Amino acid sequence: MRKKMVTGMLAVSLAFMMTGCCLSHGWQEATCTEPKTCSKCGETEGEALGHTWEEATCTEPKTCSVCQETEGEALGHTLSEATYWEAAVCSVCGETVGDVLTPAFEELGVKGQFMEVGETYDYNTQLDYRQSYEDMLIDEFKKGYGIEGDYANLTDLFMEGIFGDVDSLELGGEMVEVTEENVIRLFSEVHGLTGNFEDLTEVFMASLEKNDGVVLDVRITARATVTDYQVFDSDETHEAKDGYEWKTVEMQIEYDGSYDKGWQVNYGYDDYYERDEEGDQEDSEYEPGWDNEETHTVNWKGQDYTECRAIIADTSDTGWVEDAEGNYSLTYTAKFDFLYPKGYDGVLLYLFDNKYSGVRPVNFANTDENTLFFRLQ
């Protein structure tokens, strides 16, 4: 009996081995990389399915849609250049990347105030200032002594240009060494001045004030208002031009004070977007100027507009008017006409301190808190 049972078990084992290890396979379906496979014995059947590839995109590499395996790298965007009105856009997938450019006016952190129509703002302008007198004195001394070269200040001019080859000078009846302190003492005596002076500029400024009656660093206070601002296609005096619009501005500046100190207005216009970071006009492609007759070009949303205009339409003043109490006032009126592309908001009209006259705040390098801006939007 035992012998029969052993023989039967051997027969079953042999049959199992001959049929491939499993009495019943536990099949796992074929995948992209593996054929159909028995989870019990590892036997395979057929072939792997192979990947179903989706082509690489700008942001994703080549990817199997079944198993998500990747191959290679993403293509990367093909981007347009960002502008002031549109961020960079991929020409392949249409995705917008990043932000619009920051206008250089904002990027440079320009100081000053923006004006609103009908609002009144303090406007201070410096009529006479020390640097202008120092420059004037340097030129006069250079001519008088026949000196060549450039000097940053009066101290350099005297110590290098006039006393550079002199070992001593007479001071108080005796010969002393040529030093800046002794030169200051010499000119103080010559001009009848007392007090302590830091440098030669201070000596000559004090002399001008005492002997010539010059009042230095005179500032005059005014109130500035944009009294009228209009945007239109055309009227009786402004011809229509396809794709353009007119913007007209009237500004009034009212001065109070003694008329014998005079008055001064300095204004200009520039572009809010086109700016050279170094503040150097020679390096900037945009050089605004009142044309009155000529035209200039502005690029707006990728298109060049070649017939832009910036016109000083009219200026006038009332002269100094005395009221019943003996107070003087003067009102200055200026009107400006601009022809620019429809919707263009880059024209920037501004008033600046007279102390910057001659070094116009090109690219706003010289603006300060006293500068008033009016953006034509």
Side-chain angles (χ1 to χ4, degrees):
M1 181 74 168
R2 182 185 178 101
K3 185 175 182 180
K4 289 183 179 179
M5 187 181 264
V6 170
T7 302
M9 290 178 66
L10 289 172
V12 171
S13 297
L14 180 62
F16 179 75
M17 292 173 64
M18 292 178 64
T19 57
C21 300
C22 290
L23 292 176
S24 176
H25 284 298
W27 291 111
Q28 292 181 336
E29 292 301 318
T31 66
C32 297
T33 56
E34 300 291 337
K36 185 176 180 181
T37 303
C38 176
S39 63
K40 298 177 181 178
C41 67
E43 183 178 340
T44 63
E45 183 179 287
E47 298 179 351
L49 299 176
H51 290 296
T52 302
W53 291 112
E54 292 182 348
E55 292 301 316
T57 66
C58 297
T59 56
E60 299 292 338
K62 185 178 179 180
T63 304
C64 176
S65 62
V66 177
C67 69
Q68 306 306 309
E69 183 175 334
T70 62
E71 182 179 288
E73 298 179 352
L75 301 175
H77 291 297
T78 302
L79 294 174
S80 63
E81 288 189 16
T83 65
Y84 295 119
W85 51 88
E86 187 177 63
V89 178
C90 179
S91 61
V92 177
C93 68
E95 182 178 342
T96 298
V97 179
D99 298 315
V100 297
L101 296 180
T102 301
F105 182 93
E106 297 179 0
E107 195 172 75
L108 293 174
V110 177
K111 299 176 182 177
Q113 300 182 74
F114 275 96
M115 304 175 72
E116 299 290 339
V117 178
E119 297 293 326
T120 299
Y121 301 83
D122 288 338
Y123 171 61
N124 302 309
T125 184
Q126 191 162 325
L127 298 180
D128 295 308
Y129 50 101
R130 291 177 181 268
Q131 187 61 54
S132 66
Y133 277 95
E134 183 167 15
D135 294 342
M136 176 190 69
L137 289 169
I138 289 173
D139 288 339
E140 289 183 356
F141 281 120
K142 283 173 62 177
K143 292 176 183 177
Y145 284 89
I147 299 172
E148 300 293 334
D150 295 325
Y151 297 91
N153 49 58
L154 281 168
T155 298
D156 291 347
L157 173 67
F158 274 86
M159 300 307 296
E160 297 172 15
I162 296 177
F163 290 104
D165 297 326
V166 179
D167 295 326
S168 60
L169 58 85
E170 185 177 351
L171 183 62
E174 62 181 79
M175 301 303 294
V176 297
E177 182 184 359
V178 175
T179 63
E180 183 178 351
E181 181 181 358
N182 285 334
V183 174
I184 290 173
R185 288 175 57 197
L186 174 64
F187 282 100
S188 296
E189 289 184 5
V190 170
H191 294 287
L193 302 172
T194 58
N196 296 320
F197 300 100
E198 293 184 1
D199 53 36
L200 286 169
T201 300
E202 291 296 320
V203 174
F204 284 101
M205 294 303 109
S207 174
L208 286 170
E209 291 179 332
K210 176 182 177 182
N211 301 322
D212 298 333
V214 174
V215 181
L216 298 175
D217 292 335
V218 171
R219 301 188 68 80
I220 186 166
T221 301
R223 296 177 300 278
T225 309
V226 176
T227 54
D228 186 65
Y229 175 54
Q230 302 292 330
V231 181
F232 53 90
D233 291 336
S234 64
D235 63 13
E236 296 81 0
T237 57
H238 298 81
E239 181 181 358
K241 190 170 291 294
D242 188 40
Y244 293 77
E245 63 189 1
W246 288 96
K247 299 175 187 280
T248 62
V249 184
E250 179 177 296
M251 185 177 290
Q252 287 189 353
I253 305 172
E254 299 180 351
Y255 293 95
D256 291 333
S258 174
Y259 66 92
D260 60 359
K261 292 181 181 177
W263 57 284
Q264 183 74 41
V265 178
N266 288 281
Y267 53 78
Y269 84 96
D270 217 316
D271 191 282
Y272 190 81
Y273 300 106
E274 298 297 327
R275 189 93 13 254
D276 173 65
E277 291 187 8
E278 299 300 323
D280 186 349
Q281 185 177 20
E282 294 180 0
D283 293 339
S284 178
E285 295 179 1
Y286 183 82
E287 297 181 13
W290 301 106
D291 55 61
N292 280 8
E293 297 296 336
E294 301 299 323
T295 60
H296 60 272
T297 300
V298 163
N299 185 280
W300 178 234
K301 296 188 176 179
Q303 179 178 340
D304 280 341
Y305 289 82
T306 61
E307 299 183 71
C308 298
R309 305 278 306 280
I311 303 167
I312 302 174
D314 186 35
T315 60
S316 62
D317 68 86
T318 61
W320 288 104
V321 178
E322 185 179 9
D323 64 17
E325 298 178 354
N327 299 314
Y328 288 90
S329 64
L330 176 147
T331 301
Y332 176 83
T333 302
K335 297 179 181 179
F336 309 96
D337 295 343
F338 297 93
L339 181 64
Y340 270 77
K342 281 185 178 293
Y344 187 71
D345 61 354
V347 183
L348 200 57
L349 183 64
Y350 57 91
L351 293 169
F352 64 96
D353 197 322
N354 183 50
K355 70 181 179 181
Y356 298 126
S357 182
V359 285
R360 189 180 70 82
V362 175
N363 300 330
F364 311 112
N366 296 320
T367 59
D368 58 17
E369 292 83 354
N370 185 51
T371 307
L372 296 176
F373 299 101
F374 180 68
R375 186 175 177 187
L376 281 64
Q377 296 177 284

